[in-house]
Amino acid sequence: MHRKRIVSALSALSAAVVVSGALTAGAYATPSKHAAEGAAPTAAPSGLNGPYLYLGWGSPPKATSVMSATGIRQFTMAFMLSDGGCNPKWDGTRALTGGTDQSTINSIRSAGGDVTVSFGGWSGNKLGEKCSSAGALAGAYQKVVDAYKLKSIDIDIEATEVSNATVRQRVIDALKTTKTKNPGLKVYVTFGTTTTGPTADGKDLVKRGAAKGLDAEWAVMPFDFGGQGSVDMAAATKSAVDGLKNTVASEYKLSSDAAYRKVGFSSMNGHTDQAGEIVSVADFKSMVSYATSHHLSRVSFWSLNRDRKCGSGGGGDACSGIEQGTYDFTKVLAGYNG
């Protein structure tokens, strides 16, 4: 079950399946044995390769243990939602600061890593909808940026938040304000896709972003392709990102090479929510190789919680449902340097 269908303590499972994605200080230290064995790594752009870590259900792994086991230094913490109004809370219920989420972030940073905070996901109350104006939404984003002194944020815009044109414009306007106030902040906008490129809503987001002059990185979620049966997920991912690149190049008037450097993807490890869709470790290696050849601005997957085997059958909240070693996907992702 991926981020689009999360069942948190207070939210119910959504059964909707859409075209796709029906689902982010200073140089890093060298905390792990992997880093210690070689030269000290240079700091990667914030949000470049952080797998999603969700503390709302199941048995989330200890982040610092994952760092030691894999060499990963970045995490995308999910999800920042509305408390019912225009106030950000983890999962819409846990306080912005002072709880498990903050202690996890503190431990990651103490070990030499850093985080991207992801807003949205499939279920729950979205700030983009609950905040009544772009100014109020920008204020909510800023509250989180300030609370954690963030270098990057991920707007995982899905479901009714992405399907409403008014809300799409509100999000773009709010991100423009946030980016203006925090010029060094990396802003990632993540949304669903078809096998050949963004949905109409995704294309519209990019178009509105370009019209607003928003400096953002754009990422698609290439899975849950709407009942197409067995899909070559590596090939579909590459085709989807190529389509996103074409959209970004067209709307921002960029060369193909420059557009590739402004786009990325977030996959799903193992069984997706769609029957017949399986992302193997080999598939993910192929995807990351493709990302390296085009210098994509972001590669991630949902989720670190699932990066372990659970025997035969489909995956779930806490496992991938395929034969794999613990943290195999994270180990692959840790090697991505843009």
Side-chain angles (χ1 to χ4, degrees), residues 9 33 42 51-52 59 84 91 94 122 132 134 163 170 188 190 223 232 237 239 271 278 283 289 296 308 310 329 337:
K33 64 180 181 181
T42 56
Y52 285 82
S59 302
D91 258 1
R94 301 190 302 277
W122 179 265
S132 60
S163 64
R170 184 182 301 151
Y188 298 95
T190 304
F223 54 89
D232 182 333
T237 295
S239 177
H271 282 262
I278 300 175
D283 288 333
S289 178
L296 301 188
R308 48 199 170 195
C310 52
F329 286 85
N337 297 310

Side-chain angles (χ1 to χ4, degrees), residues 195-209:
T195 57
T196 57
T199 63
D201 290 341
K203 290 179 179 178
D204 185 65
L205 272 171
V206 177
K207 181 176 182 178
R208 291 172 187 268

Side-chain angles (χ1 to χ4, degrees), residues 203-226:
K203 290 179 179 178
D204 185 65
L205 272 171
V206 177
K207 181 176 182 178
R208 291 172 187 268
K212 192 72 177 181
L214 173 64
D215 179 13
E217 320 294 317
W218 306 91
V220 288
M221 294 175 283
F223 54 89
D224 285 8
F225 288 118

Side-chain angles (χ1 to χ4, degrees), residues 54 104 168:
Y54 184 70
T104 297
R168 290 198 299 272

Side-chain angles (χ1 to χ4, degrees), residues 25-32 35 41 43-44 46-47 49-50 63-64 67-68 71-77 104-116 148-152:
Y28 296 120
T30 57
S32 72
S46 184
N49 65 344
T64 51
M67 294 172 74
S68 295
I72 200 74
R73 282 177 166 71
Q74 299 195 32
F75 298 85
T76 304
M77 302 292 293
T104 297
I105 291 171
N106 290 347
S107 69
I108 290 168
R109 287 176 166 168
S110 294
D114 207 1
V115 303
T116 302
Y148 289 105
K149 297 180 171 56
L150 296 175
K151 295 178 181 176
S152 58

Side-chain angles (χ1 to χ4, degrees), residues 1-319:
M1 184 156 321
H2 65 60
R3 59 182 174 238
K4 295 18 172 223
R5 308 287 197 275
I6 293 171
V7 182
S8 67
L10 298 179
S11 63
L13 176 69
S14 170
V17 175
V18 295
V19 174
S20 168
L23 95 228
T24 255
Y28 296 120
T30 57
S32 72
K33 64 180 181 181
H34 301 269
E37 288 168 355
T42 56
S46 184
L48 176 74
N49 65 344
Y52 285 82
L53 175 60
Y54 184 70
L55 302 183
W57 44 239
S59 302
K62 184 178 180 181
T64 51
S65 295
V66 177
M67 294 172 74
S68 295
T70 67
I72 200 74
R73 282 177 166 71
Q74 299 195 32
F75 298 85
T76 304
M77 302 292 293
F79 284 105
M80 193 62 66
L81 291 169
S82 154
D83 66 349
C86 191
N87 189 50
K89 285 188 176 181
W90 293 103
D91 258 1
T93 60
R94 301 190 302 277
L96 176 58
T97 59
T100 302
D101 304 274
Q102 180 170 20
S103 63
T104 297
I105 291 171
N106 290 347
S107 69
I108 290 168
R109 287 176 166 168
S110 294
D114 207 1
V115 303
T116 302
V117 171
S118 184
F119 296 75
W122 179 265
S123 58
N125 292 319
K126 315 299 171 50
L127 287 163
E129 294 176 283
K130 294 298 182 179
C131 296
S132 60
S133 69
L137 180 57
Y141 291 156
Q142 190 66 46
K143 187 178 295 186
V144 181
V145 170
D146 290 344
Y148 289 105
K149 297 180 171 56
L150 296 175
K151 295 178 181 176
S152 58
I153 59 174
D154 170 50
I155 308 301
D156 187 335
I157 182 167
E158 307 184 48
T160 53
E161 190 177 25
V162 75
S163 64
N164 186 309
T166 299
V167 176
R168 290 198 299 272
Q169 187 64 53
R170 184 182 301 151
V171 168
I172 293 298
D173 291 345
L175 289 176
K176 176 66 174 180
T177 298
T178 302
K179 183 71 176 179
T180 299
K181 289 185 177 180
N182 309 271
L185 184 73
K186 281 277 188 180
V187 171
Y188 298 95
V189 183
T190 304
F191 46 85
T193 186
T194 71
T195 57
T196 57
T199 63
D201 290 341
K203 290 179 179 178
D204 185 65
L205 272 171
V206 177
K207 181 176 182 178
R208 291 172 187 268
K212 192 72 177 181
L214 173 64
D215 179 13
E217 320 294 317
W218 306 91
V220 288
M221 294 175 283
F223 54 89
D224 285 8
F225 288 118
Q228 296 184 25
S230 181
V231 176
D232 182 333
M233 296 301 284
T237 295
K238 297 168 189 177
S239 177
V241 176
D242 283 346
L244 174 62
K245 178 269 299 183
N246 291 338
T247 298
V248 170
S250 175
E251 296 297 342
Y252 278 86
K253 312 304 179 188
L254 298 175
S255 68
S256 183
D257 179 67
Y260 270 124
R261 295 168 187 264
K262 297 293 287 183
V263 305
F265 65 89
S266 179
S267 185
M268 185 173 180
N269 51 323
H271 282 262
T272 75
D273 302 303
Q274 186 66 54
E277 286 189 3
I278 300 175
V279 178
S280 68
V281 176
D283 288 333
F284 195 59
K285 287 179 178 177
S286 179
M287 295 173 190
V288 171
S289 178
Y290 160 85
T292 299
S293 69
H294 292 296
H295 308 289
L296 301 188
S297 64
R298 177 165 166 83
V299 178
S300 184
F301 69 90
W302 178 267
S303 66
L304 178 55
N305 303 54
R306 306 175 72 249
D307 197 5
R308 48 199 170 195
K309 63 181 292 186
C310 52
S312 61
D317 294 344
C319 54

